[in-house]
Amino acid sequence: MPLPTTDTPGSPGSAGSAGSGFASASVPRHLARGALGFGSLIAAFALVPAFGPVTLLLAPVGVVALRGCPMCWAIGLAETVSRGRLRRECGPDRCELKPVAR
């Protein structure tokens, strides 16, 4: 009997549920969050010489848009792209990633 995983249909983290780790609802939405996050972080530090330390107020906007850190955003991108395409199946001795039959 396969062990339950976070990819099991109907479980809180399954591909059919709304909140799966760091994933977004769609790839374009995730890329827009990345553009806003990375743009805000870059602007926060690059504009300091021209506009002073007030531009550092853009840094929290970037951190919130990236949901914590650039690595969190990258993990979320991978989750968003693979959502619904792969399923982890675990047996008594190992787990495997298998494509979902459509």
Side-chain angles (χ1 to χ4, degrees), residues 7-87:
D7 300 332
T8 305
S11 68
S14 67
S17 68
S20 171
F22 298 101
S24 293
S26 68
V27 173
R29 184 178 294 176
H30 197 85
L31 293 175
R33 271 191 31 246
L36 175 67
F38 286 113
S40 295
L41 285 175
I42 291 168
F45 296 101
L47 296 176
V48 168
F51 297 102
V54 73
T55 62
L56 295 176
L57 294 174
L58 289 172
V61 172
V63 171
V64 169
L66 295 175
R67 293 187 184 162
C69 64
M71 184 56 74
C72 300
W73 179 86
I75 291 169
L77 179 61
E79 284 184 5
T80 303
V81 169
S82 70
R83 175 181 278 164
R85 295 182 183 171
L86 297 174
R87 167 160 284 127

Side-chain angles (χ1 to χ4, degrees), residues 82-99:
S82 70
R83 175 181 278 164
R85 295 182 183 171
L86 297 174
R87 167 160 284 127
R88 184 174 60 195
E89 294 181 7
C90 293
D93 56 342
R94 66 177 184 193
C95 293
E96 296 178 341
L97 282 177
K98 294 187 177 183

